[in-house]
Amino acid sequence: MKQTEFLNIVLPFKDKLYRLAKRLLVSTEEAEDATQEILIKLWSKKNKMESYNNVEAFAMTMTKNFCLDRLKSKQAGNLKLVHSNYTDASTSLQSELEAKDSINWVERIMAELPEQQKMVLQLRDVEQYEYEEIEKLLDMKPTAIRVALSRARKTVREKLMEKHNYGIA
Amino acid sequence: MELHNIEKLIEKYFEATTTVAEEEKLRRYFSEDDVAPHLEQHAPLFNYFSKAKKERFTKPVPLKPRRNYLKWVSVAAIAVFMVGLYFYQPTPPPVTLADEYTPEEIESAKEALALLAMNFNKGTEQLYHLEEFEKTTNKFLTKNN
């Protein structure tokens, strides 16, 4: 397989890999490293790639496994600190920023979700995958996916309401 | 848009029973400015998803450079190895007398050296007289002083 062919296959979904990695690892740098790692792995498997019927799903599963491994590994100890990646909300022009801020809250709230809910929410609401695809990617039963998704959505809604009611001033 | 419809969709959304198309409809509704006030609380959620989808992986796809680099490293390593092999001269194993000469030759050489040493010793014995001579000259010299 030539490089251009490989790129044609990989480029359409490389952002999805990155976003999933970032959702799980939170840190931008970590996510970039993970994505590069996955792309290198894919490239080294390029000869077998023609036999996969869905390269994107395969790559997404790889990303998921890779990130979960990262989180489990010792190195992940460093990842706990990355909450400082978020921009500080207490800047001036509060009212103008408020609308934008509540969008950022969602990111923060999502970061607190359990990994499985994070992934389901990411794959469904951000990447708009169909349920059957998510089933394959995450190796979950359809009902489990719906439960996780519903729970994740409701949690985000509740937390978002809390923030709205208390305000951030 | 039919507000009632949207409300229903939101309800379905939180039960995770909406289809992808319906969720897209919700996202589109909340991306517009005229969101009904009592639904506004959900806007950040849907707007965040739209925003999150725009995030891009900006690093280059790391295939070509790394591969080539590795290839050239191996080429360079082999080149260095060949040059080293070319200029490498093994230190010769220490040569012993037994390797170079036959035992007879060694024996005769030993004899010759023994002969030489004997004569040499005779010569040094002769030198002893010279030493006596020097002693006596020294006596004279000290007396004169």
Side-chain angles (χ1 to χ4, degrees), chain B residues 121-137:
Chain B
N121 283 341
K122 267 185 201 163
T124 41
E125 268 166 36
Q126 303 290 317
L127 278 176
Y128 178 72
H129 300 298
L130 259 182
E131 212 173 289
E132 277 307 298
F133 175 75
E134 201 174 305
K135 268 185 201 163
T136 40
T137 41

Side-chain angles (χ1 to χ4, degrees), chain B residues 11-61:
Chain B
E11 212 168 291
K12 271 175 78 185
Y13 171 79
F14 283 107
E15 296 307 322
T17 49
T18 39
T19 63
V20 169
E22 286 169 331
E23 285 160 19
E24 183 55 39
K25 214 183 266 179
L26 283 173
R27 260 189 294 276
R28 223 178 312 129
Y29 172 76
F30 281 105
S31 69
E32 284 159 19
D33 285 334
D34 52 344
V35 177
H38 68 288
L39 295 178
E40 227 166 44
Q41 48 169 341
H42 300 304
L45 185 59
F46 292 100
N47 291 335
Y48 170 71
F49 293 139
S50 313
K51 183 195 140 198
K53 208 186 175 179
K54 293 198 186 96
E55 203 165 345
R56 293 280 176 269
F57 179 66
T58 50
K59 288 271 178 89
V61 179

Side-chain angles (χ1 to χ4, degrees), chain B residues 4 9 15 19 65 71 81 84 87 96 105 109-110 113-116 118-119 122 129:
Chain B
H4 183 64
L9 281 183
E15 296 307 322
T19 63
K71 226 189 260 168
F81 180 72
F87 286 108
T96 58
E105 279 173 327
K110 267 186 186 169
L113 283 172
L115 214 63
L116 182 73
M118 220 167 69
N119 286 325
K122 267 185 201 163
H129 300 298

